[in-house]
Amino acid sequence: MSDTRLSCFGALALELTPGALAGRLALPQDQARELGALVASDLLKLVPEVAALDLAFVAAHFDPAELLRPGWPRHARLVELAQGAPGRRDEARVIAFGSHDGRLPEVLAPDENLVGGPLRLLPFVAVGDEAIATTVGHAFEERLLDTGMAGADTALYAQTAFGAQVEHARYLTVHDLCALTAVQYEHAGLKPLWPLIEAALLAPEGEEWLDAPPEPLARYAAQQVRFAMLDIDAWAEGGFAPAGIDAERMPHAFDQFTMRQRQFAAVLAAHGIAVVFDHAPAGHDPRALLRG
């Protein structure tokens, strides 16, 4: 991307009926163009300045964890494809990507193992002149979460084309999605993990700790999360056992601790964040080990 072009990242969010799955993950190219035109029309009504930008859109729906990954790889790939798409460059374009023979390029293909959640996301990028894109980006941040409902025709088309039971359809920026996911993770008991994910997304060169016993001990740095892998003696010695626990209950509590650690690692992996386990034996400071 040249220095005079900027991009805004967002998504059409489809909230499905709980427990219902869409009949298909991606639309063929002809339907992708139709849905892309509807999305462009909606965004134009919400933020008229978007008319001066290219809009690239993929007609496939993803789990939030697939979009909330370091470097925003799905959106970044859309920017690359938009820049390489044929057509006039002196006017804004709507560039929709759909499947061919039932398949999408790998970087644009949803993970078939991440389909059970009720929130499904169709990513889009608005790309163009830096000044205009900055204005549009600010407007997206100010308006989409509160007023960004998709048009009834857009929601109905998506519902029919994907074979889904859509309860709500709205537009979000990736920052809106971060905020919503943080709330969802809190409700799911994953609140302690979110700061590590947020650091990987928004401050990838920074550092963040999860150091809140009895939770697992972890450190985000150098674009990976390192967990202290404790045996039961190190776990008890390090103050990670619940306060007041007796010796009879310790093995079960330690098993719960290791299950929690595996759960956290699986969530991080879904977000595309590298995970490393460092053995921390009894008699050693696990925090010093993670700093090393």
Side-chain angles (χ1 to χ4, degrees), residues 54 57 59-60 64 84 119 136 139 142-143 154 159 169 175 179 193 198 205 214 216 245 252 272 281 283 289:
D54 286 344
F57 167 81
L119 186 64
V136 168
E142 291 173 356
R143 301 176 197 173
T154 306
Q159 175 170 276
H175 296 105
L193 187 62
E198 187 174 53
E205 302 305 319
I245 190 170
H252 176 70
L289 185 146

Side-chain angles (χ1 to χ4, degrees), residues 17 33 49 56 61 71 115 118-119 124 180 186 191 216 260 283:
T17 300
R33 282 192 294 268
E49 295 87 348
H61 55 91
V115 296
L119 186 64
F124 67 79
L180 290 176
E186 181 175 0
K191 181 179 179 179
R260 181 73 159 169

Side-chain angles (χ1 to χ4, degrees), residues 62-264:
F62 298 81
D63 183 87
E66 295 183 84
L67 299 192
L68 297 182
R69 290 179 174 176
W72 317 102
R74 309 289 186 183
H75 287 92
R77 183 57 175 152
L78 272 179
V79 172
E80 294 173 0
L81 291 171
Q83 291 177 321
R88 294 177 58 178
R89 298 303 180 91
D90 57 347
E91 61 183 25
R93 302 167 296 167
V94 178
I95 308 162
F97 296 95
S99 62
H100 178 69
D101 291 334
R103 303 187 66 181
L104 280 164
E106 183 176 354
V107 74
L108 292 182
D111 187 338
E112 295 182 2
N113 295 313
L114 295 174
V115 296
L119 186 64
R120 305 298 298 176
L121 301 161
L122 287 71
F124 67 79
V125 297
V127 185
D129 174 82
E130 181 176 15
I132 298 173
T134 298
T135 298
V136 168
H138 288 321
F140 278 173
E141 297 293 350
E142 291 173 356
R143 301 176 197 173
L144 293 193
L145 185 61
D146 292 330
T147 64
M149 295 301 295
D153 51 350
T154 306
L156 180 59
Y157 190 93
Q159 175 170 276
T160 303
F162 286 112
Q165 298 177 39
V166 177
E167 292 193 346
H168 302 284
R170 64 178 310 109
Y171 296 98
L172 303 170
T173 68
V174 291
H175 296 105
D176 295 334
L177 182 57
C178 283
L180 290 176
T181 303
V183 172
Q184 290 174 346
Y185 280 12
E186 181 175 0
H187 291 164
L190 296 170
K191 181 179 179 179
L193 187 62
W194 178 254
L196 301 181
I197 298 171
E198 187 174 53
L201 295 173
L202 304 180
E205 302 305 319
E207 179 185 29
E208 185 69 39
W209 281 83
L210 169 54
D211 188 357
E215 298 287 4
L217 177 67
R219 174 179 180 248
Y220 170 81
Q223 300 180 24
Q224 64 180 7
V225 172
R226 297 173 64 186
F227 281 96
M229 182 178 287
L230 309 171
D231 58 28
I232 191 167
D233 292 331
W235 169 76
E237 177 186 278
F240 294 93
I245 190 170
D246 57 42
E248 184 178 350
R249 292 184 295 156
M250 283 186 67
H252 176 70
F254 179 68
D255 287 344
Q256 294 294 109
F257 174 84
T258 58
M259 288 176 60
R260 181 73 159 169
Q261 189 174 64
R262 289 195 295 269
Q263 179 192 31
F264 282 4

